[in-house]
Amino acid sequence: MIEARRLHILRAVADHRTVTAAAAALYLTPSAVSQQLTALEQETGHRLVERGAKGVRLTPAGEILLSHTNAVLAQLERAEAELAAYGSGAAGTVTVASFATGIAQVVAPAVARLAETAPGIRLRVQDAEGDASLPMVLDRQVDIAVAVEYRGAPPADDPRLSHVPLYAEPFDAVVPMTHRLADLAEVPLGELAKDPWIGPYPGNPCHDVVVLACESAGFQPRLEHSSDDFRAVVALASADAGVALVPRSALRGTDLTGVIVRPVDGVAPTRRVFAAVRRGAEEHPLIRPVLDALRAAAEA
């Protein structure tokens, strides 16, 4: 009989590619993870992982078991959801990880909405970028992630996750007030090819949006200054340190003294925001009202 908790460990090792990283995500010691993998290999009668200098990879037998693991764990999430519904679990805590502007845009309004529609549900919110929040859901550190589509992100049909689209927003060009293009109604990105740029660090989903938009305009941005805080990005632009693309919602409440904000000429770069839960958990009586509240906040 295969133990479900060992399937969790197998998936964590597959996701994180090293025993040490998987152990940290699961709050276990590396030796405990190795012991559980060995026990799982004994239960299945197959070698499931191969260790090398660059980490751990699954064997063909491990890949077969992983494909079933995703289905088994999703079904266990559904079973927990139905049992919770049977026990009318209308009270409890749901943990949400979201990037900062997502918290302002949809999570905080959802907290207020739930206080009226489902007062027994309490949200615990954690600030985390989209590339960090999705692994947190998979590792069961949080229940819901509010994240942004980015290169390398799990796709919408990933068997481990269920996606709930929330909203899409454009990026606007932010240039110093003295910039040569400041008088234009819309800024052509190609005209900024020789400017110094200010933007998020690689790994931040917004970094991918900026780079892909510039590549589509025919150039690689020369990123001279990096910050994941868009208030800092705007402040640097106001100091004539460079130009930037900033999500429209991140500009709300930001000091725009010294900069000009303009739409991008043509097809604007866009970030698409969604909520994600472990597949099978979307109908849990605690999680469903939160997803509904996030969607309602996005529509509002």
Side-chain angles (χ1 to χ4, degrees):
M1 179 69 69
I2 297 174
E3 289 193 20
R5 65 192 176 97
R6 290 175 182 152
L7 295 180
H8 280 294
I9 290 172
L10 178 70
R11 188 161 78 178
V13 169
D15 287 342
H16 294 281
R17 306 302 179 109
T18 70
V19 168
T20 300
L26 298 174
Y27 299 102
L28 297 172
T29 64
S31 62
V33 169
S34 295
Q35 290 169 7
Q36 292 299 318
L37 287 175
T38 299
L40 186 58
E41 288 178 331
Q42 292 172 347
E43 288 173 346
T44 60
H46 293 279
R47 187 178 182 186
L48 302 174
V49 297
E50 291 181 346
R51 295 169 174 79
K54 296 183 178 181
V56 176
R57 69 179 185 87
L58 299 188
T59 65
E63 293 287 355
I64 291 172
L65 183 57
L66 180 64
S67 67
H68 290 284
T69 291
N70 292 325
V72 168
L73 295 182
Q75 190 60 41
L76 285 174
E77 293 282 357
R78 294 187 189 98
E80 290 180 8
E82 289 190 20
L83 286 170
Y86 175 77
S88 36
T93 300
V94 176
T95 306
V96 180
S98 172
F99 57 101
T101 49
I103 292 174
Q105 190 85 347
V106 293
V107 179
V111 171
R113 185 178 297 269
L114 286 165
E116 297 180 359
T117 61
I121 297 176
R122 183 170 71 93
L123 286 192
R124 180 179 294 135
V125 181
Q126 297 183 21
D127 188 336
E129 290 299 334
D131 58 324
S133 62
L134 293 176
M136 291 169 73
V137 169
L138 290 172
D139 293 335
R140 304 179 72 85
Q141 297 173 10
V142 300
D143 302 303
I144 300 174
V146 174
V148 178
E149 291 181 2
Y150 61 94
R151 284 190 289 193
D157 61 352
D158 189 293
R160 302 168 298 172
L161 294 168
S162 288
H163 284 217
V164 177
L166 294 177
Y167 64 93
E169 65 171 329
F171 281 58
D172 290 325
V174 177
V175 301
M177 192 168 286
T178 56
H179 195 273
R180 64 189 182 281
L181 303 180
D183 292 334
L184 296 182
E186 296 182 334
V187 173
L189 275 187
E191 295 297 318
L192 301 176
K194 294 183 179 179
D195 285 85
W197 279 74
I198 312 157
Y201 284 100
N204 185 315
C206 289
H207 174 88
D208 286 347
V209 175
V210 172
V211 171
L212 285 172
C214 293
E215 288 175 351
S216 296
F219 69 97
Q220 284 280 343
R222 180 163 53 91
L223 283 164
E224 293 206 353
H225 310 283
S226 298
S227 174
D228 287 334
D229 186 334
F230 286 113
R231 293 171 300 179
V233 170
V234 172
L236 286 168
S238 71
D240 205 15
V243 300
L245 288 174
V246 177
R248 189 164 291 172
S249 67
L251 293 169
R252 294 175 189 152
T254 300
D255 183 2
L256 301 178
T257 304
V259 298
I260 298 295
V261 178
R262 293 288 185 265
V264 172
D265 185 25
V267 179
T270 301
R271 70 172 173 182
R272 305 185 192 285
V273 180
F274 62 94
V277 299
R278 291 180 295 277
R279 189 171 292 274
E282 58 272 19
E283 294 303 328
H284 192 285
L286 293 180
I287 291 177
R288 170 50 59 192
V290 178
L291 293 177
D292 290 342
L294 289 170
R295 188 186 292 109
E299 292 173 353

